[in-house]
């Protein structure tokens, strides 16, 4: 990944805006760019773009959307911003938080209205840290559908998406103005395109083991669950251009990935009343804190694993997620009528699991500080699944303004460089416990749109 002086003979093709990366961030940026009547092209390294977006549950948080209003949910950008800052310990950039939360409802309305995407509000369970129900998903509750719908929309609107275009070089002048990029084609050829501005939408560095070890060492041995092609290119280019970096130690983990199947088991199984126990059949933390920090907590248990225990009421809520259905189809989730039988099926010490289940049945607030809702006690038949922790995506990145303009380390802004989605610093603070559900696609979809339109 290099930054070098522009070619002396210029570029044979020039476009107003070049967008590197064809995930949710890149495609929403392109749609907004086109609406603003600025020509753009997306350069995507893969033959068919998927990105981490396709691996996600595709849930986008938005405050004040028309869908929330229809569902009678009273929400506001200010309330959403307060939830983000509470989870991030006040460390998120207030300018970016204000911009994203204010634009979140209108962006969801734009996707659902202007672009006809059939979103609905997840209204049957709460995500930790959100004081209102504001997660919006497509019918499958799967990010693959989000990518497919965005790609179809871009294609229908005539937006150029060049796949098999691995951007390796930025051409910039001495003032840090990007004048074009160079990209490798599958046949080994190198091509170039000039631009008036560049939007980096190539996500973070989860797919780069050296960078993970350097910036987020506590998660370096965990499974990486995101897109392998996200190798930190935006950060390396940004460093070369003198951009300021922010919160490179921040990331989103997840502590409920079916193991060894490698399928995400929605956090709803815990927030709706389920628990996690370790190999000894004992609980080890307050499961309602959040799923990001759960990765580190689960990995610290014996064998780096845990068991999520829930019941059939919860399973029927979780089945709205394609991933959960896939975990069931893979045989990851077992069922039994009693705690003893469940322990036997999961190969856990029966006596300990029975004690744990009896304990939570009579508890309102446990020793770990979790408040149990008496209306959500676990009832037979029970379900259990062996899980581990994984790294989903990094949250640190280029320091940006509320429209995605990249800041210089020395002060001021780079002339024509933008970063959106996982390429930009998110709103999750400096570690792994500041991630509020949906911060990933919030930065991708909303910041992507704001940058595209800027
Ligand atoms: C299992 C899982 C579940 C998740 N669930 C949710 C959820 O429900 N809600 C939520 O908000 N977030 C969720 N996330 C996080 C979310 O997926 C990401 O925050 C979001 O997809 C980031 O979008 P993006 O466009 O920045 O990156 P991506 O979708 O990863 O797209 C980046 C693209 O850039 C391309 N690229 C990289 N380098 C180059 C290069 N040099 N040249 C050309 N192309 C390049 C990549 O191939 C890729 O296609 C989840 C993540 C995972 C892993």
């Amino acid at each position: 990944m290099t930054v070098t002086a522009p070619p002396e003979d210029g570029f044979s093709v020039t476009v107003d805006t070049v967008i590197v990366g064809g995930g949710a961030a890149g495609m929403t940026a392109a749609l907004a760019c086109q609406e603003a009547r600025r020509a753009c092209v997306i350069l995507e390294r893969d033959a068919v773009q998927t990105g981490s977006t396709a691996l996600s549950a595709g849930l986008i948080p938005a405050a004040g959307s028309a869908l929330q209003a229809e569902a009678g949910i009273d929400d506001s950008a200010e309330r959403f911003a307060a939830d983000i800052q509470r989870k991030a310990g006040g460390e998120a950039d207030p300018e970016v938080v204000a911009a994203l939360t204010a634009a979140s409802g209108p962006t969801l309305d734009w996707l659902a209205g202007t672009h006809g995407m059939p979103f609905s509000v997840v209204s049957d369970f709460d995500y930790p840290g959100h004081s209102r129900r504001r997660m919006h998903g497509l019918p499958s509750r799967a990010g693959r559908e989000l990518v497919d719908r965005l790609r179809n929309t871009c294609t229908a609107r005539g937006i150029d998406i060049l796949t098999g275009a691995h951007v390796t070089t930025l051409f910039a002048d001495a003032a840090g103005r990007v004048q074009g990029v160079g990209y490798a084609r599958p046949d080994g050829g190198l091509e170039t395109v000039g631009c008036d501005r560049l939007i980096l939408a190539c996500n973070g560095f989860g797919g780069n083991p050296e960078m993970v070890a350097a910036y987020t060492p506590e998660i370096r041995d965990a499974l990486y669950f995101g897109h392998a092609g996200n190798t930190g290119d935006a950060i390396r280019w940004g460093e070369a251009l003198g951009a300021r970096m922010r919160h490179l130690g921040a990331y989103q983990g997840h502590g409920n990935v079916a193991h060894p199947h490698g399928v995400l088991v929605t956090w709803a199984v815990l927030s709706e009343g389920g628990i996690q126990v370790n190999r000894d059949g004992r609980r080890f933390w307050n499961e309602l804190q959040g799923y990001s920090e759960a990765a580190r907590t689960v990995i610290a248990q014996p064998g780096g694993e845990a068991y999520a225990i829930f019941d059939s009421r919860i399973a029927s809520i979780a089945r709205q997620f394609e991933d959960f259905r896939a975990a069931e189809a893979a045989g990851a989730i077992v069922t039994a009528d009693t705690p003893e039988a469940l322990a036997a099926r999961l190969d856990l010490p029966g006596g300990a699991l029975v004690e744990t289940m009896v304990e939570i049945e009579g508890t309102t607030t446990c020793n770990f500080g979790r408040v149990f809702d008496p209306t959500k006690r676990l009832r037979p038949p029970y379900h259990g699944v062996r899980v581990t922790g994984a790294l989903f995506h990094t949250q640190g990145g280029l320091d940006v303004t509320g429209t995605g303009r990249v800041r210089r380390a020395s002060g001021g802004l780079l002339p024509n460089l933008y970063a959106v989605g996982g390429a930009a610093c998110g709103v999750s603070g400096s570690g792994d416990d500041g991630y509020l559900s949906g911060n990933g696609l919030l930065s991708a979809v909303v910041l992507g749109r704001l940058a595209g339109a800027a």
Side-chain angles (χ1 to χ4, degrees):
M1 294 303 126
T2 52
V3 175
T4 185
E8 275 174 16
D9 50 353
F11 300 93
S12 51
V13 182
T14 295
V15 65
D16 179 279
T17 301
V18 166
I19 300 168
V20 182
M27 288 195 281
T28 46
L31 286 169
C33 201
Q34 199 207 37
E35 270 182 13
R37 301 188 184 284
R38 299 184 71 166
C40 64
V41 62
I42 295 175
L43 302 178
E44 164 57 49
R45 63 181 285 170
D46 290 349
V48 178
Q49 87 243 50
T50 53
S52 286
T53 304
L55 301 168
S56 78
L59 296 173
I60 305 170
S65 71
L67 287 163
Q68 275 185 315
E70 265 171 42
I73 300 165
D74 161 36
D75 200 3
S76 68
E78 295 70 29
R79 181 184 287 278
F80 185 13
D83 289 349
I84 288 176
Q85 289 291 18
R86 194 176 312 109
K87 188 73 176 111
E91 291 185 321
D93 182 331
E95 178 191 332
V96 177
V97 172
L100 295 187
T101 52
S104 64
T107 299
L108 208 287
D109 294 348
W110 174 70
L111 290 174
T114 309
H115 297 299
M117 298 189 194
F119 278 96
S120 61
V121 184
V122 177
S123 57
D124 49 358
F125 68 91
D126 295 314
Y127 277 88
H130 283 285
S131 60
R132 288 290 184 277
R133 289 183 168 167
R134 59 170 75 100
M135 299 298 268
H136 297 68
L138 290 164
S140 64
R141 304 287 193 248
R144 158 85 46 189
E145 184 176 359
L146 179 60
V147 166
D148 288 346
R149 286 185 183 276
L150 284 169
R151 187 195 305 111
N152 291 344
T153 306
C154 286
T155 307
R157 294 194 166 226
I159 291 169
D160 289 323
I161 303 177
L162 195 59
T163 56
H166 186 186
V167 179
T168 55
T169 309
L170 302 195
F171 299 105
D173 63 21
R177 175 174 292 276
V178 179
Q179 301 204 345
V181 304
Y183 52 97
R185 301 296 277 159
D187 64 3
L190 187 71
E191 295 178 16
T192 61
V193 56
C195 62
D196 290 335
R197 67 168 178 159
L198 180 67
I199 300 180
L200 296 175
C202 45
N203 209 328
F205 56 87
N208 183 325
E210 289 80 32
M211 289 176 81
V212 170
Y215 296 120
T216 57
E218 70 273 24
I219 199 78
R220 70 176 164 199
D221 295 328
L223 191 68
Y224 171 51
F225 222 63
H227 182 61
N230 296 331
T231 51
D233 300 350
I235 289 159
R236 290 185 283 163
W237 286 319
E239 278 169 348
L241 284 166
R244 186 193 294 162
M245 300 298 149
R246 189 174 162 101
H247 292 163
L248 288 183
Y251 64 92
Q252 187 222 324
H254 203 291
N256 217 38
V257 172
H259 183 56
H261 310 77
V263 184
L264 172 64
V265 178
T266 170
W267 202 248
V269 304
L270 301 167
S271 60
E272 270 299 299
I275 55 170
Q276 284 187 324
V277 298
N278 60 19
R279 272 185 185 177
D280 301 327
R282 307 284 180 197
R283 289 182 59 237
F284 48 89
W285 78 309
N286 172 0
E287 300 89 340
L288 299 191
Q289 282 172 65
Y291 50 68
S292 180
E293 54 268 52
R296 183 174 26 101
T297 313
V298 166
I299 289 167
Q301 294 306 302
E305 61 182 26
Y307 297 78
I309 311 289
F310 50 101
D311 65 11
S312 54
R313 175 188 65 81
I314 297 174
S316 62
I317 294 172
R319 273 189 201 105
Q320 69 187 283
F321 292 95
E322 201 170 273
D323 284 331
F324 186 85
R325 299 196 298 273
E328 282 190 311
I333 295 167
V334 304
T335 307
D337 286 330
T338 63
E340 293 87 340
L342 189 69
R345 294 213 57 193
L346 292 171
D347 208 15
L348 289 172
L353 186 64
V354 171
E355 273 175 36
T356 300
M357 302 283 276
V358 168
E359 210 172 276
I360 61 161
E361 179 72 19
T363 296
T364 312
T365 305
C366 75
N367 292 340
F368 301 108
R370 173 169 172 180
V371 178
F372 282 88
D373 180 345
T375 65
K376 293 180 176 172
R377 301 283 188 210
L378 299 184
R379 295 286 171 261
Y382 302 107
H383 299 286
V385 53
R386 182 151 69 116
V387 296
T388 190
L391 166 63
F392 272 20
H393 53 125
T394 53
Q395 281 289 287
L398 281 76
D399 191 11
V400 294
T401 66
T403 54
R405 288 282 303 271
V406 176
R407 296 191 168 104
R408 288 184 194 269
S410 57
L413 302 173
L414 280 156
N416 63 346
L417 185 68
Y418 290 72
V420 296
C425 177
V427 289
S428 306
S430 57
D432 69 340
D433 57 357
Y435 184 87
L436 184 71
S437 308
N439 277 359
L441 284 171
L442 178 72
S443 294
V445 170
V446 181
L447 194 58
R449 182 178 180 223
L450 292 171

